[in-house]
Amino acid sequence: MKFVILIHLLNWEHHENEYILEEGISFINPNTHPVGKLYKKICERDNVDEGEPYTFNTGLILYDETGSDHSFLPSSSHYSLSTTFINLLTIIYKGTLGHCRIIMSKDDFKTSHLTYTLYDSLTEFTDELTVYHSKFDRNSIEVLEKVWQNLKSIYTSGVQKSRIDNMLNFFYFSWYTLTLELTGISLSIVLETLFSPHSNSELTHQIACNVSNLMGNEKEEKKELYKYVKKYYSIRSKLVHGEAIKEVELNLIPPFFKFICEVILKIISDDSLIHTFNDNDQRREFIQDKLFE
């Protein structure tokens, strides 16, 4: 069984028409791949997308030649292979990619076995998180390939209850949701997973300090980042405790979402940092060292 995730808001600008990340995982340009013709055919024949094809310029193809492993399907869980890649693309582009269409095939995309939309219902509720005019180019591939190799090394490291895995799950929940309020709460869990101290005293202060030390360079930049994270945590507190939240405060969540993407990408694209943050002892030492730089 093969299936493709056609991505609406990701424009193929790669010099190749197909890029094989590894066996069973590849990205394709639907305009030059049989998937594109098949999609238009099922639109005309079966009135898919009301008979008017969307412009899907990039696709992710996953397959299992044995037909026995269904864990890669988007609907299986947030741990699925397809969800992992959509999650990573969201981090890389610092925004959600709009709705996608799944096409499953048993004959190498000559015909469609099943098709359905994915994430379509989210756009009207969390449109502020959507990123437009994104390019899938050589730079995108290089970053994605580096991150994927780093993640595989984490998955095979034998570390139980992976901190990185937990962080990625809650990041997924931050955009696979119907409200910005839930986005805000999930983003705070991402921060706490990565930057929480090993004690609960002055939790917000220590998280803000740890984030600013990682992301900032000069002293003034670190101070501004510290205040930025502290301000966000005042909003998080209102969300968690059911207090009234102003529209101006709610509007701060989408830019903070982008900032969190930058934080995550800095960690998971670095083959040293990703292992450091995934190991409790190494993470504690790293955070302590940062305090005294």
Side-chain angles (χ1 to χ4, degrees):
M1 177 74 73
K2 288 187 178 182
F3 81 89
V4 62
I5 304 178
L6 295 173
I7 306 171
H8 180 44
L9 296 175
L10 193 59
N11 294 324
W12 184 275
E13 295 194 7
H14 197 269
H15 67 279
E16 301 175 13
N17 289 319
E18 179 177 10
Y19 189 89
I20 300 173
L21 192 62
E22 61 181 55
E23 186 177 359
I25 305 173
S26 61
F27 288 87
I28 55 100
N29 179 357
N31 297 316
T32 57
H33 190 277
V35 165
K37 292 182 179 179
L38 176 59
Y39 170 59
K40 292 178 181 178
K41 180 179 178 180
I42 61 177
C43 284
E44 296 171 0
R45 185 191 64 200
D46 304 324
N47 203 37
V48 168
D49 290 331
E50 298 181 346
E52 299 181 6
Y54 280 89
T55 303
F56 292 112
N57 288 326
T58 297
L60 166 64
I61 292 181
L62 303 171
Y63 68 88
D64 169 38
E65 291 183 336
T66 66
S68 60
D69 181 10
H70 299 286
S71 63
F72 57 80
L73 297 178
S75 57
S76 60
S77 77
H78 54 282
Y79 293 104
S80 68
L81 191 59
S82 54
T83 296
T84 296
F85 275 101
I86 295 298
N87 206 26
L88 294 179
L89 289 172
T90 301
I91 293 168
I92 290 170
Y93 289 105
K94 302 181 180 63
T96 57
L97 302 173
H99 83 277
C100 304
R101 173 160 289 282
I102 308 298
I103 299 178
M104 300 178 64
S105 176
K106 294 181 178 180
D107 56 8
D108 207 20
F109 300 109
K110 295 182 179 66
T111 61
S112 171
H113 174 66
L114 178 68
T115 184
Y116 56 91
T117 57
L118 189 66
Y119 310 132
D120 189 28
S121 61
L122 302 182
T123 54
E124 61 181 294
F125 301 102
T126 55
D127 185 61
E128 296 90 341
L129 303 180
T130 305
V131 60
Y132 296 92
H133 311 299
S134 298
K135 301 176 182 179
F136 190 78
D137 53 19
R138 182 67 201 179
N139 181 64
S140 306
I141 279 289
E142 289 176 354
V143 174
L144 183 61
E145 194 163 31
K146 178 64 174 175
V147 168
W148 177 237
Q149 294 303 319
N150 287 345
L151 281 181
K152 286 203 302 181
S153 70
I154 287 294
Y155 296 151
T156 58
S157 66
V159 175
Q160 299 298 314
K161 297 181 180 179
S162 167
R163 189 178 290 267
I164 293 295
D165 199 32
N166 190 56
M167 173 273 293
L168 289 174
N169 287 339
F170 278 101
F171 177 76
Y172 172 71
F173 296 143
S174 78
W175 61 266
Y176 187 33
T177 182
L178 297 180
T179 70
L180 284 178
E181 288 85 349
L182 290 174
T183 295
I185 293 172
S186 294
L187 290 178
S188 68
I189 298 175
V190 169
L191 274 182
E192 289 164 24
T193 299
L194 291 173
F195 296 102
S196 61
H198 291 267
S199 68
N200 290 325
S201 60
E202 298 182 314
L203 184 66
T204 302
H205 159 72
Q206 292 195 61
I207 289 175
C209 189
N210 293 337
V211 174
S212 61
N213 281 329
L214 176 72
M215 300 303 292
N217 294 313
E218 302 300 325
K219 182 178 179 180
E220 286 304 312
E221 183 183 12
K222 291 182 180 182
K223 287 171 65 176
E224 290 303 312
L225 286 173
Y226 174 83
K227 290 189 287 186
Y228 182 52
V229 176
K230 287 270 286 186
K231 184 177 182 179
Y232 174 77
Y233 256 80
S234 67
I235 298 172
R236 175 260 186 200
S237 181
K238 288 184 177 182
L239 291 171
V240 170
H241 297 292
E243 297 179 30
I245 183 168
K246 300 175 183 178
E247 185 176 354
V248 66
E249 293 174 315
L250 198 63
N251 289 340
L252 291 176
I253 293 177
F256 196 75
F257 179 88
K258 294 181 183 298
F259 172 68
I260 293 299
C261 288
E262 294 176 6
V263 173
I264 295 173
L265 189 58
K266 180 168 185 173
I267 293 171
I268 65 176
S269 63
D270 187 299
D271 55 5
S272 177
L273 275 180
I274 192 172
H275 284 277
T276 296
F277 273 83
N278 204 50
D279 183 281
N280 283 331
D281 293 335
Q282 291 183 37
R283 190 185 74 99
R284 181 190 293 111
E285 184 177 350
F286 177 82
I287 287 175
Q288 288 176 344
D289 287 345
K290 281 287 183 181
L291 288 175
F292 300 102
E293 283 186 350

